[in-house]
Amino acid sequence: MAGNFVSTTNPCRMCRPLGACLAFRGIEDSMVLLHGSQGCSTYMRRYISSHFREPVDIASSSLSEKSAVYGGAESLKRGVKNVVDRYSPRVLGIATTCLTETIGDDVELIIGELLRDEPALREVEIIPVSTPSYSGGHYNGFHDSCVALISRLAQGGPRGDGVNLFPGFLSPADIRHLKDVMDGFGLSAVIIPDISETLDGGIVDSYRRIPAGGTPLEAVRRTGTAAFSLEFSAATPGRQSAALLLKESFSVPAERLPAPIGISYSDRFFQAVSRRAGRPVPEHFARQRERLLDAMVDAHKYLSGKRAAVYGDPDFVLGLSSFLADVGVVPAVIASGGGGREFISELELACAHLEDPPEILTYTDFGEIARAAAASGVDLLVGTSKGNHIARELQVPLMRAGFPIHDRIGGQRMLHVGYAGAMALLDLLTNTIIAGAQDELGYGYSYM
Ligand code: SF4
């Protein structure tokens, strides 16, 4: 028996409800309540705060031992009333946790009873999302929440000229850049969810329990009348696509793309927007692309032939792998804590021109990533702070990117998307490799 046992050593993903907390944070005047025990929300607050460096409130129904045995209905009803009383949200996401999924609490039924008994609560859009952590990671919870928001709130009507953009889980800086791109094309875009301010705000004179920003509720309702939807979800199953749901429900044309990380995927994004907008790529972004090409030539002598292990969320890793291949670094090991058929087939396309096909690890953990990276003889790691110990063991540098970045500051300000994002990543990657070479030599050199 012991010989057959395979444990997970430090999974390459986080809790599924943590993704729900991030997605609901991108909706204006929204709160999230975790239906489960107190520790779940404490852990997730800690994780999110340490990356974004912002206070993050996550409510909990705080199940006791008794609730775990007899059901958490009363705890959930009490929790919803408390959150509405203290935060006055317009939208309240309720994400389940392992415990409440295991005991089988029917959240829709419980909320239905609550709304029948407390009609005043009907003013709040209460949106349950099923997020058992034993069957998915935070990226699933994020997409689950987008689908739940659209399923509950989107309304049809005469076709307008607005655009829906579902970016998936990117950084606040990425969302700001995407807004600039859509503005540059003269498009009126709704980004769902929009964490650009709520997870990267400034110092304000008076404290707000729910930070300003996020996608307005009315804008989410209007998504059913948009001219088209774009979604960065090429590595995600169709059942987790809010854009496809809008297409099925309201015939809104949908285009699903890889996250525009690196020049190849940025080209696909800019071409798609240009085609849909009926306008050429604005000069400003065309110039960014020219500068990026120039920088790629400059960096080539440091990057060519280097081998990397890259890991993280499926859609993000797909973009990073394509970026590495664009700039001459071999993504020798590509790993994610998730990753289904879509993830693998998109990666195979992105890496088709490489002489050595990458080792692709899906539903993996950091034990397995360490083994594969060592066997493959990689020159560096690319991913979250969670790989720091592997980089140290292998004595190779780590280029931090993605979520979470706990051991550096600025994760929320990292730009990954578009030509500007590819340029920022290129500089970071090249300088990480140069610094690693300097460390290895044991003495610095000042002229490269
Ligand atoms: S019990 Fe489940 S939902 Fe809660 S912190 Fe643990 S893995 Fe996450």
Side-chain angles (χ1 to χ4, degrees), residues 251-273:
S251 303
V252 178
E255 188 161 353
R256 301 175 70 205
L257 297 165
I261 299 173
I263 194 165
S264 300
Y265 285 171
S266 294
D267 282 347
R268 277 177 66 176
F269 168 58
F270 276 94
Q271 283 160 13
V273 180

Side-chain angles (χ1 to χ4, degrees), residues 27 146 149-150 164-168 190-194 215 219-220 223:
I27 304 299
C146 295
L149 279 158
I150 292 302
N164 303 321
L165 178 57
F166 296 98
V190 174
I191 298 190
I192 311 133
D194 177 359
T215 317
V220 183
T223 53

